[in-house]
DNA sequence: ATGGCTTAGGTGCTAAGA
């Protein structure tokens, strides 16, 4: 069983790459973020023609999330019922007995931006909702773009980034609060190469110089974490022409 | 060095990303 998260940075632009990647990686569940498409423009037929089911919730220009699955998708929930939000950042569903939550956490922009307290309250509400979801669905996976690098190991230059958005203590505390629900950062269950990241800036040769951060995560509840045999970042599509700035993160379960 | 790319919307530029 392979569960994947990938921020595609516009599904309109990236659909060919998503289909190409799925052909090379026939995974079970692919959670995507930043589709940037209203639902009427979503390429449902193309994804279904590739042999997958898909559910989605989007908006114009910004945000938008979807779950692509090889297995039947049930009990779809759009957005956090505990958090009034016009932005389309969450979609959840039950797939193969697992509760799958696909989340696009607000970026926050900067600590002095009004988007930063929005990010923190959004994360607090996510925690409250996921706590209730785990009680109902012990087999739960929370996948997405968290816009948080949990540890200094997850930042190419921790000194330069210290205290900034994505690594600030309050954001890292919010990430820890999710782990405290009994979730495991599947990437850290295993020995990993140093300087493994999931996002690299388009500018300044960010990818070539591996100046990245690890902000895309697959969090697993205990029953799923116990079945997890690997978690890797696939850098391959980041090398393609006109790539997303994020790479897919793949967790494999027995 | 607060620049540097990329995308969307709309058609010249701004907003946003992380």
């Amino acid at each position: 069983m392979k569960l994947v998260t990938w921020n595609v940075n516009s599904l309109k632009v990236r659909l060919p790459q998503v289909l190409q990647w799925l052909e090379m990686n026939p995974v079970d569940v692919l959670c995507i973020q930043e589709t940037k498409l209203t639902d009427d423009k979503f390429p449902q037929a193309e994804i279904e023609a590739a042999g997958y089911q898909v559910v989605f919730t989007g908006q114009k220009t910004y945000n938008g999330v979807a779950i692509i699955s090889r297995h039947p998708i049930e009990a779809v929930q759009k957005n956090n019922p505990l958090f009034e939000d016009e932005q389309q950042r969450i979609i959840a569903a039950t797939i193969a007995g697992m509760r799958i939550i696909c989340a696009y956490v607000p970026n926050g922009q900067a600590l002095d931006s009004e988007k930063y307290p929005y990010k923190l309250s959004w994360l607090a509400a996510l925690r409250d909702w996921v706590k209730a979801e785990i009680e109902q669905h012990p087999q739960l996976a929370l996948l997405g773009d968290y816009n948080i690098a949990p540890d200094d190991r997850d930042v190419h230059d921790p000194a330069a980034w210290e205290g900034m958005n994505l690594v600030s203590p309050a954001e890292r505390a919010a990430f820890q609060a999710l782990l405290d629900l009994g979730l495991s950062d599947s990437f850290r269950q295993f020995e990993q190469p140093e300087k493994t990241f999931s996002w690299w800036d388009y500018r300044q040769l960010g990818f070539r110089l591996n100046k990245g951060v690890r902000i895309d995560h697959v969090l697993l509840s205990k029953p799923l974490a116990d079945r997890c045999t690997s978690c890797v970042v696939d850098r391959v599509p980041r090398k393609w022409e006109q790539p997303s700035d994020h790479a897919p993160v793949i967790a494999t379960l027995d």
Side-chain angles (χ1 to χ4, degrees):
Chain A
M1 181 69 67
K2 288 187 185 291
L3 310 180
V4 187
T5 182
W6 190 10
N7 180 324
V8 298
N9 186 17
S10 170
L11 187 58
K12 184 183 171 191
V13 174
R14 226 69 64 195
L15 178 64
Q17 295 192 21
V18 170
L19 295 175
Q20 172 73 37
W21 190 85
L22 282 171
E23 204 170 303
M24 297 165 62
N25 303 271
V27 300
D28 294 279
V29 176
L30 170 59
C31 295
I32 60 177
Q33 302 87 38
E34 283 206 269
T35 58
K36 300 186 181 180
L37 289 171
T38 50
D39 291 352
D40 59 306
K41 299 225 170 69
F42 195 92
Q44 180 169 9
E46 289 89 335
I47 290 170
E48 287 176 352
Y52 291 86
Q53 296 195 13
V54 63
V55 290
F56 45 87
T57 183
Q59 66 184 83
K60 208 165 162 182
T61 313
Y62 305 117
N63 309 314
V65 286
I67 301 174
I68 297 170
S69 170
R70 199 170 274 295
H71 311 283
I73 300 177
E74 300 171 309
V76 177
Q77 164 79 44
K78 298 175 182 178
N79 289 327
N80 178 350
L82 304 180
F83 189 80
E84 194 85 33
D85 194 0
E86 288 183 4
Q87 303 186 21
Q88 302 304 304
R89 295 179 173 278
I90 290 179
I91 190 163
T94 300
I95 299 170
M98 300 173 291
R99 193 63 177 160
I100 302 290
I101 302 176
C102 172
Y104 176 44
V105 177
N107 174 284
Q109 197 166 60
L111 273 62
D112 59 358
S113 164
E114 77 277 0
K115 291 172 187 167
Y116 184 77
Y118 165 68
K119 178 180 193 174
L120 294 180
S121 53
W122 195 97
L123 283 162
L126 177 67
R127 181 219 166 264
D128 290 346
W129 178 53
V130 170
K131 179 180 163 61
E133 286 285 291
I134 292 181
E135 283 163 13
Q136 287 195 12
H137 310 276
Q139 299 192 75
L140 181 144
L142 177 56
L143 304 96
D145 175 358
Y146 287 69
N147 273 314
I148 301 171
D151 191 275
D152 281 353
R153 289 176 293 175
D154 302 317
V155 182
H156 68 91
D157 185 350
W161 279 75
E162 193 182 354
M164 306 270 280
N165 192 48
L166 308 189
V167 306
S168 71
E171 291 166 86
R172 286 178 166 175
F175 186 82
Q176 183 61 47
L178 291 169
L179 300 184
D180 289 345
L181 297 175
L183 295 173
S184 161
D185 178 357
S186 56
F187 182 81
R188 289 298 175 205
Q189 289 182 229
F190 308 98
E191 286 282 324
Q192 298 288 358
E194 277 186 37
K195 300 189 182 302
T196 300
F197 307 123
S198 67
W199 175 86
W200 303 261
D201 202 309
Y202 285 123
R203 302 163 290 187
Q204 304 272 104
L205 304 173
F207 183 67
R208 262 177 58 189
L209 301 175
N210 197 30
K211 291 185 173 177
V213 288
R214 190 177 71 92
I215 55 176
D216 301 273
H217 309 298
V218 180
L219 269 51
L220 301 173
S221 67
K222 182 80 164 63
L224 296 186
D226 288 346
R227 289 169 51 196
C228 188
T229 56
S230 82
C231 178
V232 297
V233 176
D234 182 7
R235 295 165 54 98
V236 168
R238 189 63 176 79
K239 300 171 188 170
W240 292 346
E241 234 175 274
Q242 203 178 11
S244 168
D245 42 0
H246 295 253
V249 181
I250 310 164
T252 304
L253 280 61
D254 262 343

